[in-house]
């Protein structure tokens, strides 16, 4: 009956399912542990797995040829330096009976089949590789270097046989119009010689991944980054308007702005690299990278130069040649730190999370600058709150969202530490804004500072004119609204700010 029929869509009550796609699931031994003595390093009893399958029809009606790869995560203990492994497989899918039979790939080493082309074009797979190289514990945990993995010996010395059943997932449980399939089967490995099985029988469970939903997650993430970058531009413009004078810009810490610029430069490079790696998502990631480039190269670098010029007023008038030399030194230091940071993170990759905590200490230089210079309100409160929230968005998504598109396991404790750390910095800055830059330092250890509300001789009961509004001030009924200068001039404290006060007092003395 199978050989007589020519149209595959007319074979019995079943239709020909296209099982090509990515399957994500788990593996576990039927026994509690691996009983094989050939590969004693295979100690884990369960873990995660990813299957990549490509199905093509053959001349035999009802039979499809299947190629693919099975990627096992969490296979070996950490001391082996290999977190997972990959096995290439091939076989047949008898779709009228929903049966899948596969064995280890019989091609020569170095040959690339259709499954390799599929892996190189699959955004789910490529972004997984990208995130594993950037965010995992060690850059040496590469599942693709199978010649350094014990699984390479398994392919040479073991007969890997997989028998699985394919079932369609109900439409109510999937989240897209495309059909989802569930694969469940048994993987066995009888040895080539008479030394016994390579490992105990293994149960595989996997469900197809809706690539469109995964693609939409990545696009939504880039939209979030673009929106955050736009908000950061508005916050920077508000802060630049708040400190548009030379004295206002001199109060802002150049290290604080430089550290944020370096963070945005790293984010720009990361998004651009992800866009180049995953060609189908290039436009989305390139847009996010462009906005990050605008934030750090135009606005933050411009503000950095303004702060630098405000702290060097004498050098600003020495001519263009001296200014150009100073700017060259500034740019050399900035990009030198940028490149040095990349090398530092590559060398100490396994300490990436502590390094990220260190990068997010960008408010600390401003706190220290406020204490040293006794600066008064250098940052706008909207800038402090806005930057604190927007800087938290990306790391909390990557390490806190359980369904992030990079497939990184959420770390709740680290996210809480990061949030508390940045919130503490922002709280200190806001308290410095409203209570004074040295509010948390005991007054006994502070240097002496002139008190404009100092006591004066009450013996003479006469009225003195305010040097600003020219109204009489009664010394006998003195209150906190009256201030006195070192040269014994009196004025109302609500009249003017201190810089305008000194100008008025100087003008009155000259008169």
């Amino acid at each position: 009956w199978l050989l007589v029929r020519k149209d595959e869509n007319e074979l019995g009550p079943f239709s020909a399912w296209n099982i090509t796609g990515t399957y994500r699931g788990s593996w576990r031994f039927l026994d509690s542990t691996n009983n094989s003595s050939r590969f004693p390093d295979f100690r884990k009893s369960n873990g995660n797995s990813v299957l990549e399958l490509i199905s093509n029809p053959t001349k035999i009606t009802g039979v499809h040829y299947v190629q693919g790869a099975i990627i096992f995560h969490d296979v070996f203990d950490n001391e082996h330096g290999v977190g997972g492994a990959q096995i290439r497989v091939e076989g047949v899918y008898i779709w009228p009976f929903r049966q899948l039979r596969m064995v280890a790939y019989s091609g020569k080493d170095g040959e690339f089949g259709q499954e390799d082309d599929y892996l190189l074009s699959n955004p789910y797979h490529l972004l997984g590789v990208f995130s594993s190289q950037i965010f995992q514990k060690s850059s040496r945990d590469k599942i693709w270097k199978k010649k350094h993995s014990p699984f390479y010996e398994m392919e040479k010395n073991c007969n890997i046989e997989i028998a699985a059943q394919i079932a369609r997932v109900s439409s109510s449980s999937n989240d897209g119009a495309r059909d989802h399939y569930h694969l469940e089967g048994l993987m066995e490995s009888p040895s080539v010689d008479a030394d016994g099985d390579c490992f105990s029988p293994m149960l595989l469970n996997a469900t197809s991944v809706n690539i469109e939903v995964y693609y939409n997650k990545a696009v939504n993430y880039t939209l979030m980054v673009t929106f955050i970058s736009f908000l950061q531009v508005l916050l920077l413009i508000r802060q630049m308007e708040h400190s548009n004078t030379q004295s206002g810009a001199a109060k802002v810490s150049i290290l604080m702005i430089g550290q944020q610029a370096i963070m945005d430069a790293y984010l720009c490079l990361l998004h651009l690299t992800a866009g180049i790696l995953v060609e189908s998502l290039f436009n989305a990631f390139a847009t996010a990278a462009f906005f990050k480039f605008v934030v750090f190269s135009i606005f933050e670098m411009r503000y950095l130069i303004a702060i630098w010029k405000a702290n060097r007023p004498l050098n600003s008038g020495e001519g263009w040649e001296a200014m150009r030399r100073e700017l060259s030194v500034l740019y050399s230091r900035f990009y030198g730190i940028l490149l040095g940071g990349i090398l530092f993170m590559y060398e100490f990759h396994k300490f990436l999370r502590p390094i990220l905590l260190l990068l997010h200490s960008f408010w600390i230089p401003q706190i220290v600058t406020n204490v040293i210079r006794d600066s008064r309100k250098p940052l706008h409160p909207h800038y402090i709150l806005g930057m604190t929230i927007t800087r938290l968005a990306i790391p909390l998504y990557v390490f806190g969202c359980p369904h992030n598109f990079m497939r990184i396991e959420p770390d709740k404790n680290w996210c809480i530490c990061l949030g508390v750390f940045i919130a503490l910095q922002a709280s200190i800055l806001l308290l410095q804004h409203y209570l004074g830059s040295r509010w948390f330092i005991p007054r006994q250890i502070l240097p002496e500072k002139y008190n404009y509300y100092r006591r004066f001789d009450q013996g003479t009961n006469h009225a003195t004119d305010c040097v600003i509004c020219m109204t009489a001030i009664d010394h006998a009924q003195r209150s906190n609204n009256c201030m006195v200068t070192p040269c014994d001039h009196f004025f109302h404290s609500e009249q003017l700010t201190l810089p305008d006060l000194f100008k008025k007092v100087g003008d009155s003395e000259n008169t």
Side-chain angles (χ1 to χ4, degrees), residues 455-462 475-476:
R455 297 182 179 274
F456 51 87
D457 187 10
Q458 297 281 353
T460 58
N461 189 13
H462 65 278
H475 289 255

Side-chain angles (χ1 to χ4, degrees), residues 57-93:
T58 63
K59 295 181 180 180
I60 304 176
T61 307
V63 178
H64 286 190
Y65 174 65
V66 179
Q67 282 183 300
I70 304 178
I71 302 162
F72 294 93
H73 300 285
D74 309 321
V75 173
F76 302 97
D77 293 337
N78 293 332
E79 62 265 17
H80 297 283
V82 181
Q86 172 184 334
I87 302 176
R88 291 189 297 172
V89 293
E90 62 179 349
V92 293
Y93 168 52

Side-chain angles (χ1 to χ4, degrees), residues 260-270 292 296 334 338:
Q260 294 189 53
I262 289 177
M263 290 174 59
D264 289 324
Y266 286 152
L267 290 173
C268 174
L269 292 176
L270 282 176
K292 278 298 177 184
F296 98 87
F334 176 81
L338 182 67

Side-chain angles (χ1 to χ4, degrees), residues 80-340:
H80 297 283
V82 181
Q86 172 184 334
I87 302 176
R88 291 189 297 172
V89 293
E90 62 179 349
V92 293
Y93 168 52
I94 308 174
W95 61 262
F97 304 102
R98 310 303 185 221
Q99 296 292 321
L100 178 64
R101 299 291 186 268
M102 291 188 295
V103 296
Y105 183 64
S106 58
K108 297 180 180 178
D109 293 337
E111 290 184 357
F112 294 92
Q114 286 184 324
E115 76 280 359
D116 298 282
D117 297 332
Y118 183 77
L119 293 180
L120 294 176
S121 61
N122 190 346
Y124 177 87
H125 208 63
L126 292 175
L127 287 174
V129 175
F130 176 75
S131 62
S132 66
Q133 298 305 308
I134 299 299
F135 297 107
Q136 299 304 320
K137 293 182 179 179
S138 174
S139 62
R140 296 173 178 83
D141 294 341
K142 298 181 179 180
I143 59 176
W144 311 112
K145 290 188 175 181
K146 66 176 185 176
K147 287 191 176 181
H148 299 281
S149 169
F151 259 101
Y152 182 67
E153 299 295 329
M154 292 182 183
E155 287 190 5
K156 292 193 301 182
N157 301 312
C158 299
N159 284 329
I160 298 173
E161 300 176 359
I162 300 175
Q165 182 79 22
I166 305 293
R168 178 180 289 176
V169 180
S170 60
S171 58
S172 60
S173 61
N174 62 49
D175 48 359
R178 189 179 181 274
D179 292 334
H180 283 205
Y181 301 106
H182 180 73
L183 182 150
E184 184 175 359
L186 189 66
M187 177 176 174
E188 298 178 309
S189 60
S191 178
V192 176
D193 46 29
D195 292 340
D197 294 348
C198 290
F199 51 87
S200 300
M202 181 187 300
L203 184 64
L204 298 177
N205 281 286
T207 303
S208 60
V209 177
N210 193 338
I211 299 298
E212 295 178 0
V213 174
Y214 185 75
Y215 181 90
N216 291 335
K217 285 184 179 181
V219 172
N220 292 336
Y221 165 79
T222 57
L223 291 176
M224 179 194 73
V225 175
T226 302
F227 178 71
I228 288 173
S229 302
F230 180 73
L231 288 180
Q232 289 175 348
V233 169
L234 297 180
L235 292 170
L236 280 168
I237 293 175
R238 184 69 184 90
Q239 172 60 27
M240 293 169 74
E241 292 175 352
H242 177 73
S243 59
N244 55 359
T245 62
Q246 181 175 344
S247 60
K251 297 177 184 178
V252 182
S253 172
I254 194 172
L255 294 178
M256 182 264 296
I257 297 296
Q259 189 169 344
Q260 294 189 53
I262 289 177
M263 290 174 59
D264 289 324
Y266 286 152
L267 290 173
C268 174
L269 292 176
L270 282 176
H271 288 92
L272 186 61
T273 304
I276 294 174
L277 180 64
V278 186
E279 187 176 356
S280 58
L281 292 172
F282 175 78
N283 292 336
F285 279 100
T287 302
F290 171 76
F291 273 87
K292 278 298 177 184
F293 178 79
V294 168
V295 171
F296 98 87
S297 67
I298 297 179
F299 291 94
E300 287 176 334
M301 289 303 295
R302 176 187 175 186
Y303 197 30
L304 189 74
I305 294 175
I307 297 170
W308 172 79
K309 291 174 67 176
N311 288 313
R312 292 168 173 78
L314 298 178
N315 293 341
S316 300
E318 292 180 355
W320 172 246
E321 291 297 329
M323 177 70 70
R324 188 170 63 179
R325 286 195 299 270
E326 293 288 339
L327 281 176
S328 300
V329 173
L330 179 66
Y331 278 109
S332 300
R333 290 176 179 174
F334 176 81
Y335 289 105
I337 294 174
L338 182 67
L339 296 177

